[in-house]
Amino acid sequence: MAQGILQSLDVQLDVHSAGIQPASEVHPLVIKVMSEIGIDISGHYPKHIDQYIGESWDYIITVCGGADESCPMFIGNVGKRIHIGFDDPDAFTGTDEEILAEFRRVRDEIKRKMQDFYLTEVNHYRI
């Protein structure tokens, strides 16, 4: 979700998403709740972080609970490493509607925090 939201804020950004234990596919509810705010991530797919280690990055942002501690050290030019943690919506239980509500809540939280990040870090950096 963070990748799709950041990319929607500025199409000139080169945004990538990867994990240390990527799922086999993007969760269908993530695709659904993102489409509700006009962001199509249906073509995205989970990637392993290893394919990006050693590359140069302006920012490395970890977003999942333990990712701040468990992300591998990036070798190469990394401008700034930031942790902006979110709940994993896939971990929620309840009725279908309760689970969907949690996906929306997390999406909205990610959207607010990525907008703040973009305005305070990226947009400020580009001026």
Side-chain angles (χ1 to χ4, degrees):
M1 286 192 269
Q3 177 188 1
I5 289 168
L6 276 173
Q7 196 70 69
S8 77
L9 296 173
D10 186 339
V11 295
Q12 294 182 9
L13 293 179
D14 186 18
V15 183
H16 297 271
S17 177
I20 55 174
Q21 295 177 328
S24 59
E25 65 182 9
V26 176
H27 196 291
L29 289 179
V30 170
I31 294 170
K32 176 181 175 54
V33 300
M34 292 296 286
S35 71
E36 292 174 353
I37 61 169
I39 300 173
D40 179 11
I41 62 166
S42 61
H44 290 197
Y45 61 93
K47 296 174 236 37
H48 196 278
I49 195 116
D50 285 350
Q51 77 182 76
Y52 297 109
I53 291 178
E55 295 184 23
S56 295
W57 301 97
D58 292 327
Y59 296 93
I60 299 295
I61 305 170
T62 53
V63 296
C64 293
D68 191 33
E69 296 82 27
S70 61
C71 254
M73 178 61 90
F74 277 78
I75 299 166
N77 183 16
V78 175
K80 207 173 209 183
R81 187 173 186 271
I82 300 170
H83 180 71
I84 306 173
F86 304 102
D87 293 331
D88 178 1
D90 196 30
F92 295 118
T93 58
T95 66
D96 290 347
E97 205 43 52
E98 290 169 334
I99 292 170
L100 182 58
E102 287 299 314
F103 272 81
R104 288 178 177 138
R105 180 189 64 78
V106 171
R107 175 206 60 205
D108 293 346
E109 183 181 349
I110 292 171
K111 185 176 179 185
R112 280 189 305 277
K113 289 186 178 181
M114 289 299 113
Q115 286 172 329
D116 288 346
F117 165 77
Y118 178 77
L119 292 173
T120 60
E121 291 282 337
V122 178
N123 201 36
H124 175 75
Y125 173 76
R126 298 176 110 190
I127 293 175

